[in-house]
Amino acid sequence: MSKSKGYAALTAKAQLAPYSFERRETREHDVVIDIEYCGICHSDIHQTRDEWSDYQEESIFPMVPGHEIAGVVSAVGSKVTKYKVGDKVGAGCFVDSCRNCAECQRGLEQYCSVQTVWTYNGRDKEGAPTYGGYADRIVVDENYVLRMPNNLPLDACAPLLCAGITLYSPLRHWKAGPGKKVAIVGLGGLGHMGVKLAHALGAEVTVLSQSLKKQADGKRLGADHFDATSDPETFTKLAGSFDLIINTVSAKMDWNQYLSLLRVDGTLVVVGLPEKDVPISAFSLTARRRSVAGSQIGGIRETQEMLDFCSKHGVACDIEVVPIQKVNDAYERVLKSDVRYRFVIDMASLAKG
Ligand code: NAP
Ligand code: ZN
Ligand code: ZN
């Protein structure tokens, strides 16, 4: 075991505070990553506050959150072939899976039917709790490590590892591209990457935001249209117009209203994870053979494909870098939708205590 330093929530809803813990010894296939940046995902807030208890096993505390991890390889195990010391690498929402089930064989490790080992708030295959990226180092099997773009700033790429892949995967699965009308609901961390990626894929992109406050940003990020969902006229004007709507909103809302915006055979893909169930009327679906679907991050192969796509198209995240001492303030600002558009922790600040 080796000592690691980070920030943790000691109990549910507690403020994050400095915390020391043990990382496992480096095994033959392990890569040790010195973490330089870690993004703040809304899921970190849901989990440190234990908001998903209706749907998941109880959260594990103390919890070191963070699954948008970017850094540099500082050591490798004796059998590692994919990475060497000095490489710019990342780790996302999971760090292992069974590797044998049908889903793992298809590169869908996030849907492993045996066990996806989540980067934090999970248990490894030996049953020990996992600790995430609000920390100085992490030890990850080379098969679950990603190669980061060399031509883009590492801090702005960290959130690709969750926000980026969570939008890229459904955009690809539901074939967003030229001739397709795509709406992104919620212009936060996930949403702003949805706009950039859908635009880079060639789709016609509309942002559906609560107000028009972020309109100029939306257009700059690549949106063709921007509408406010607080204006009832929006739902009349856009009825039956989209092929694909991706809903990134973390709060409960009326999904039937959004279904009415789909054309025949259109799909509403849910990626935001509200705390409570949301009712859907059968008529919202039957009227135009519409579908509701969900999507969860992406597998390792697809995450690497997304990183390479971003490298090629010069796509990175719009970020505000904060020292770790400001993490609790950053959480409050995310909750107020006051983030443009992802907070990223500069891990060098950890040394300051
Ligand atoms: P975020 O940065 O807080 O963005 C959410 C956006 O939703 C806000 O910026 C806001 O956009 C809108 N919004 C917030 N409250 C709202 C309300 N009451 N009504 C309508 N719109 C509201 O969060 P995020 O990090 O992008 O994460 C979004 C959600 O996705 C979270 O629930 C997170 O846990 C989940 N998530 C899921 C996956 C997955 O694999 N499925 C992966 C990562 C995260 P506007 O100001 O533009 O309205
Ligand atoms: Zn996330
Ligand atoms: Zn599996």
Side-chain angles (χ1 to χ4, degrees), residues 97-101 103-104 112-115:
S97 66
C98 90
R99 307 179 189 206
N100 295 313
C101 73
E103 287 71 30
C104 284
C112 173
S113 54
V114 181
Q115 184 196 7

Side-chain angles (χ1 to χ4, degrees), residues 39-264:
I40 295 178
C41 177
H42 205 119
S43 301
D44 299 345
I45 305 177
H46 289 303
Q47 290 183 87
T48 52
R49 300 182 180 197
D50 205 10
E51 290 174 347
W52 291 338
S53 52
D54 285 2
Y55 305 105
Q56 288 194 339
E57 282 172 31
E58 243 171 66
S59 291
I60 303 165
F61 294 96
M63 187 190 300
V64 177
H67 57 208
E68 295 182 334
I69 300 166
V72 173
V73 175
S74 60
V76 290
S78 59
K79 292 199 174 152
V80 169
T81 57
K82 295 183 176 162
Y83 299 100
K84 58 180 193 318
V85 170
D87 284 353
K88 282 209 285 184
V89 295
C93 298
F94 59 91
V95 288
D96 209 344
S97 66
C98 90
R99 307 179 189 206
N100 295 313
C101 73
E103 287 71 30
C104 284
Q105 297 287 324
R106 288 173 64 200
L108 298 172
E109 303 89 347
Q110 78 277 28
Y111 304 125
C112 173
S113 54
V114 181
Q115 184 196 7
T116 303
V117 177
W118 302 110
T119 303
Y120 70 87
N121 193 25
R123 295 197 181 271
D124 65 18
K125 288 175 174 171
E126 286 77 43
T130 54
Y131 298 110
Y134 295 5
D136 52 1
R137 278 177 310 110
I138 190 165
V139 182
V140 184
D141 184 290
E142 63 174 328
N143 294 301
Y144 293 79
V145 172
L146 286 312
R147 190 171 294 283
M148 301 301 282
N150 263 324
N151 60 329
L152 298 169
L154 192 60
D155 52 0
C157 287
L160 295 176
L161 293 157
C162 176
I165 185 61
T166 300
L167 273 293
Y168 182 82
S169 186
L171 286 168
R172 295 280 294 168
H173 187 80
W174 279 276
K175 302 190 170 39
K180 290 285 175 75
K181 289 191 176 185
V182 175
I184 304 290
V185 188
L187 195 63
L190 267 54
H192 96 288
M193 287 317 298
V195 173
K196 288 193 184 202
L197 291 166
H199 176 71
L201 287 164
E204 184 178 334
V205 189
T206 300
V207 174
L208 298 175
S209 185
Q210 291 168 96
S211 71
L212 294 179
K213 274 192 276 184
K214 300 175 184 170
Q215 185 167 24
D217 285 352
K219 294 280 174 73
R220 178 178 53 77
L221 296 167
D224 301 286
H225 317 281
F226 197 106
D227 291 280
T229 53
S230 53
D231 179 357
E233 180 57 26
T234 293
F235 291 91
T236 317
K237 183 180 86 178
L238 299 176
S241 60
F242 297 109
D243 299 288
L244 178 64
I245 301 177
I246 303 189
N247 180 11
T248 74
V249 173
S250 45
K252 193 172 165 176
M253 56 203 269
D254 181 4
W255 290 356
N256 296 304
Q257 249 192 325
Y258 291 85
L259 282 165
S260 74
L261 304 184
L262 290 172
R263 54 166 57 146
V264 173

